[in-house]
Amino acid sequence: MYETILYKVKNKVAYLTLNRPDSLNAFNEIMNKEIVQALKIAEKDPSVRALVIQGAGRAFCSGEDLKSLDKNIDLGEIIKKRYTPMLKQIASFSKPIIASVNGVAAGAGFSLALACDFRIVSDKATFIQAFINIGLVPDTGNLFYLPKLVGTAKAIELSILGEKITAGDAEKYGLVTKVVPFDELESETENFAEKLANKPTKAIELIKNLIRKSYETRLDEFLEYEAYSQKIAGSTEDFKEGVQSFVEKRKPVFQGR
């Protein structure tokens, strides 16, 4: 079905695997398009309640495939044509997205990890803000997300120095959700994703939307949207189940409805 990615669903979790291991899962035009296609399928599939993005082989994603890039091409057009649609699809995705980072995440691969809601990384993973090393600015939404995670000063430092960031440093900077031993990354990712997949799905969507709104609205507008969101959440079957399980002193069984 796909040329550059793999896609499967298991236990209410969709797994989107970047599958160009010989190039360290570097982006090309086909991969950008196929990621968007897979995200649209996962969004519409009611059986999917969380999504994992991971890389095949020894890397998460090394960024744009520079070997196949025409040096005279308009890079701004590449961003608009290939990367902006992918980032918009990720940003609008209603379900939780987990980046499972096994190895290097560089350039646009680093940006892809930043755009996800959670980052579970192996102790062998590294992040590289590689753009400066070839005379470019960070793209693929990188500087939209990075300062929000690490602060302005650290974002400037990482972007201008362009040095390798170890998993331990990434955890210290607040870039990652959890660092796990390399051999346990797959099982830890599955457990984390399935935990999210069993939470009230609509509430997660509303939480994500509220956090985004908090950066762009005044308090009075935000509070209106908050009330509207709570009205929606309060009409779900999961809210009823949550209250009933609380009364009955048992663990809730959410259905994502």
Side-chain angles (χ1 to χ4, degrees), residues 3-256:
E3 182 178 328
T4 65
I5 68 171
L6 302 173
Y7 180 83
K8 69 175 183 179
V9 178
K10 175 185 174 185
N11 295 335
K12 297 178 279 192
V13 179
Y15 293 86
L16 193 168
T17 305
L18 311 181
N19 192 35
R20 300 187 70 220
D22 293 342
S23 66
L24 300 182
N25 301 316
F27 287 112
N28 61 15
E29 185 172 2
I30 297 172
M31 181 183 279
N32 289 126
K33 290 180 178 178
E34 290 186 339
I35 290 172
V36 171
Q37 292 168 3
L39 286 168
K40 288 180 177 178
I41 289 171
E43 180 68 64
K44 294 177 181 177
D45 186 347
S47 72
V48 171
R49 292 170 59 188
L51 180 136
V52 171
I53 299 179
Q54 58 192 2
R58 59 191 179 93
F60 177 70
C61 177
S62 59
E64 174 67 22
D65 190 346
L66 297 176
K67 293 179 182 178
S68 61
L69 193 66
D70 182 348
K71 303 303 183 294
N72 298 315
I73 200 165
D74 183 335
L75 294 181
E77 286 303 309
I78 286 183
I79 295 299
K80 288 191 235 180
K81 180 181 177 182
R82 290 172 42 195
Y83 286 95
T84 297
M86 182 180 75
L87 261 291
K88 286 184 175 179
Q89 196 64 45
I90 291 171
S92 65
F93 197 75
S94 65
K95 304 159 189 179
I97 304 180
I98 305 102
S100 181
V101 184
N102 55 334
V104 67
F110 184 18
S111 304
L112 176 62
L114 292 176
C116 296
D117 301 312
F118 303 92
R119 284 154 293 282
I120 308 297
V121 309
S122 85
D123 53 7
K124 295 183 179 180
T126 56
F127 299 90
I128 307 174
Q129 190 76 313
F131 303 92
I132 192 70
N133 298 325
I134 55 172
L136 294 178
V137 301
D139 60 32
T140 317
N142 187 291
L143 292 182
F144 180 82
Y145 293 107
L146 186 62
K148 295 178 175 65
L149 290 170
V150 303
T152 300
K154 182 59 71 173
I156 290 173
E157 176 189 327
L158 297 178
S159 300
I160 292 178
L161 294 182
E163 296 173 344
K164 184 181 294 185
I165 307 164
T166 65
D169 282 341
E171 186 173 38
K172 181 173 68 178
Y173 300 156
L175 280 171
V176 304
T177 308
K178 188 177 184 180
V179 176
V180 302
F182 178 81
D183 293 339
E184 298 174 18
L185 179 63
E186 183 177 352
S187 60
E188 289 280 353
T189 299
E190 286 188 3
N191 290 339
F192 188 83
E194 289 175 15
K195 179 180 178 180
L196 289 171
N198 285 296
K199 288 185 176 292
T201 309
K202 190 63 179 180
I204 291 175
E205 176 186 358
L206 294 167
I207 288 168
K208 289 173 64 170
N209 289 339
L210 279 165
I211 291 171
R212 294 189 195 105
K213 286 281 186 184
S214 72
Y215 288 104
E216 59 189 38
T217 59
R218 301 190 314 269
L219 178 60
D220 56 344
E221 294 174 341
F222 179 84
L223 293 175
E224 284 291 326
Y225 191 74
E226 178 186 78
Y228 172 72
S229 299
Q230 198 69 297
K231 178 180 179 180
I232 294 173
S235 67
T236 63
E237 293 298 317
D238 283 341
F239 169 67
K240 295 175 184 177
E241 166 61 12
V243 172
Q244 189 66 27
S245 65
F246 177 81
V247 171
E248 297 174 359
K249 294 182 171 56
R250 60 174 173 80
K251 186 177 179 180
V253 179
F254 296 118
Q255 301 297 323

